[in-house]
Amino acid sequence: MNWTELLQYWKIAIFGALCLVAFIQIFYYLFFFTRLALYKAKPKASSQTHPVSVIVCARDEAANLAKNLPGTLIQQYRTTHEVIVVDDNSYDDSKYLLEEFQKEYKQLHVVLLKQEAKFIPGKKFPLSVGIKTAKYEVLLLTDADCVPASEYWMDKMQQVYDEDTEIVLGYGAFHKKKGLLNKLIRWETFHTAMQYFSYALAGTPYMGVGRNLSYRKELFFRHKGFTAHNHVASGDDDLFIKTAATKSNTKISVDPDTFTLSEPSKTFGQWMKQKSRHYSTAKFYKPVHKFLLGLYSLSQFLFYPLLAACLLFYGWQFSLAVFGIRFLLQAFVYYACMKKLNEKDLYPFFLFFDIWMFFYYLVFALSLVKKPRGRW
């Protein structure tokens, strides 16, 4: 075989790799992501209101509590409910601020922790204390830096429950602000939500976000809380869902009234630290989820380098045809999903964000092998 023939085989191999990667991507869009794009909540024959315990864990979060907690305390909810704030060894003015809130809002209960759990890093110990303190079966979890998007967050999240439901996954969005960093953060948040909502709809739930998550208290104790992963600082949300969620007991809510909103990171460095901590738990996912998530990420990472190589060394007509098929499918899925999650302002830039994911994976790849940090 001479060099000319070898080069021709190499070009064909590159184009074949592009087609394979594109096929994998198309499979994920058709099998998983169209489920969210086409999702419509089934109307319920009858509705029931459940007593709800909202739990917020906070450490040195006085400023965030002052700004966001009123949004939880003024929820329009006609049935019995409580809001529990676990003040985890704060050194700021959280204690005094919460005392003032208690004077006005009788449904607010404060749990004051004055001692660290030595062998349980992160948020899991204070959250466990909050869950044990809760009076009611339906738990609704959020963070001190989050505010409900509407006064009906509590009501509409609990409406998703039926006899078989034990977990409800919500959307934890970020406030829309000017600047590229804000759009990158919101894109990544949307893209992650598109995956975990779609996987849940496909019957293989693998994660939720602690900014907006609900489950039954009995489920928590049945699975012995966070015992299986107490040694990991993160994972009070995704690793618990990995353990407790099943095809039949998990539902999602994409009603805009059930969203929560958080302040995004102000610098790229802050965002990197935050995401590195979150991704450090991925190594503890179930093998099937690690495979599915890893294959999708790998196909995203390889697509544009292979496309560039094919445009340079292979027939550009065939290369652009592969790109065009994938692009049209993406355009439909992203538009429908962004509309559901109230992120339509990102849609005109989805091609830029899709290319950005190549660099995103380069930046955050090391997080998967790093040891998780011991603080939350």
Side-chain angles (χ1 to χ4, degrees):
M1 182 181 295
N2 58 41
W3 284 106
T4 303
E5 292 175 331
L6 186 62
L7 182 61
Q8 188 62 29
Y9 281 119
W10 179 79
K11 290 179 181 179
I12 294 172
I14 294 294
F15 181 70
L18 174 66
C19 292
L20 176 61
V21 166
F23 175 80
I24 292 171
Q25 287 270 291
I26 290 169
F27 167 78
Y28 277 86
Y29 279 90
L30 290 176
F31 184 79
F32 286 110
F33 305 149
T34 53
R35 295 174 189 267
L36 178 61
L38 302 175
Y39 174 73
K40 290 184 179 180
K42 295 180 180 178
K44 298 174 69 174
S46 61
S47 61
Q48 178 183 356
T49 54
H50 308 269
V52 174
S53 293
V54 178
I55 302 176
V56 180
C57 296
R59 171 178 286 189
D60 296 325
E61 296 270 17
N64 280 327
L65 289 170
K67 180 180 179 181
N68 298 315
L69 188 58
T72 301
L73 294 171
I74 63 170
Q75 289 290 299
Q76 298 295 313
Y77 195 59
R78 61 186 181 273
T79 301
T80 304
H81 65 281
E82 63 178 350
V83 177
I84 300 171
V85 177
V86 183
D87 184 2
D88 182 21
N89 296 275
S90 294
Y91 287 96
D92 63 4
D93 293 331
S94 295
K95 175 184 176 181
Y96 308 106
L97 176 70
L98 292 169
E99 288 175 353
E100 291 300 312
F101 274 131
Q102 281 184 300
K103 294 176 183 178
E104 184 175 356
Y105 301 99
K106 302 306 178 186
Q107 74 271 34
L108 175 60
H109 304 286
V110 178
V111 178
L112 189 62
L113 298 184
K114 296 183 178 180
Q115 189 172 359
E116 299 276 0
K118 293 182 179 179
F119 302 106
I120 307 178
K123 180 182 171 183
K124 291 173 183 173
F125 177 70
L127 182 53
S128 297
V129 172
I131 291 173
K132 291 177 182 178
T133 304
K135 298 177 183 177
Y136 307 121
E137 176 65 13
V138 174
L139 308 175
L140 185 50
L141 314 182
T142 188
D143 289 338
D145 63 349
C146 297
V147 63
S150 80
E151 295 177 352
Y152 303 99
W153 167 64
M154 189 185 305
D155 183 38
K156 291 194 174 182
M157 281 291 283
Q158 68 84 35
Q159 282 184 22
V160 180
Y161 281 91
D162 58 24
E163 291 182 359
D164 300 320
T165 306
E166 295 182 297
I167 297 171
V168 178
L169 308 179
Y171 183 48
F174 286 96
H175 289 288
K176 297 177 182 180
K177 298 179 180 292
K178 293 181 180 180
L180 178 61
L181 179 61
N182 178 262
K183 287 182 170 58
L184 290 177
I185 291 173
R186 289 195 295 115
W187 161 261
E188 189 278 333
T189 302
F190 157 77
H191 189 256
T192 300
M194 184 178 72
Q195 292 180 81
Y196 69 74
F197 280 144
S198 297
Y199 277 58
L201 292 172
T204 179
Y206 72 94
M207 71 165 282
V209 292
R211 300 190 303 274
N212 195 6
L213 178 63
S214 182
Y215 47 79
R216 295 187 183 274
K217 186 175 180 179
E218 189 275 332
L219 178 76
F220 180 80
F221 289 112
R222 191 196 323 152
H223 289 276
K224 300 180 181 179
F226 305 122
T227 304
H229 44 85
N230 264 338
H231 60 289
V232 184
S234 299
D236 54 274
D237 43 18
D238 55 351
L239 294 186
F240 179 74
I241 296 303
K242 181 263 303 189
T243 301
T246 67
K247 177 180 180 179
S248 59
N249 77 349
T250 304
K251 289 190 175 181
I252 71 170
S253 177
V254 292
D255 186 322
D257 282 341
T258 66
F259 297 168
T260 61
L261 298 168
S262 304
E263 284 293 330
S265 300
K266 292 181 171 60
T267 68
F268 189 79
Q270 289 177 351
W271 184 44
M272 280 186 59
K273 289 180 181 178
Q274 182 186 64
K275 296 312 300 179
S276 295
R277 184 173 70 251
H278 292 168
Y279 282 126
S280 65
T281 62
K283 68 184 75 174
F284 301 104
Y285 286 3
K286 292 179 180 178
V288 62
H289 294 142
K290 286 195 286 188
F291 172 77
L292 288 171
L293 294 168
L295 181 62
Y296 173 69
S297 299
L298 180 63
S299 65
Q300 264 196 312
F301 179 76
L302 293 176
F303 181 79
Y304 285 104
L306 287 171
L307 177 63
C310 287
L311 288 172
L312 288 173
F313 303 110
Y314 197 77
W316 61 269
Q317 300 95 330
F318 299 107
S319 304
L320 288 182
V322 173
F323 169 79
I325 294 171
R326 176 179 177 269
F327 176 84
L328 291 174
L329 182 57
Q330 282 183 312
F332 164 73
V333 170
Y334 281 145
Y335 181 80
C337 292
M338 286 178 179
K339 185 177 180 181
K340 281 187 170 60
L341 299 180
N342 196 26
E343 303 285 9
K344 282 199 301 182
D345 63 303
L346 299 176
Y347 183 71
F349 313 102
F350 83 81
L351 180 58
F352 165 78
F353 293 130
D354 196 51
I355 296 172
W356 150 253
M357 292 304 291
F358 169 79
F359 302 98
Y360 175 86
Y361 290 127
L362 282 178
V363 171
F364 292 105
L366 290 177
S367 302
L368 300 178
V369 295
K370 272 184 166 182
K371 183 179 179 181
R373 293 175 59 192
R375 292 187 53 127
W376 63 287

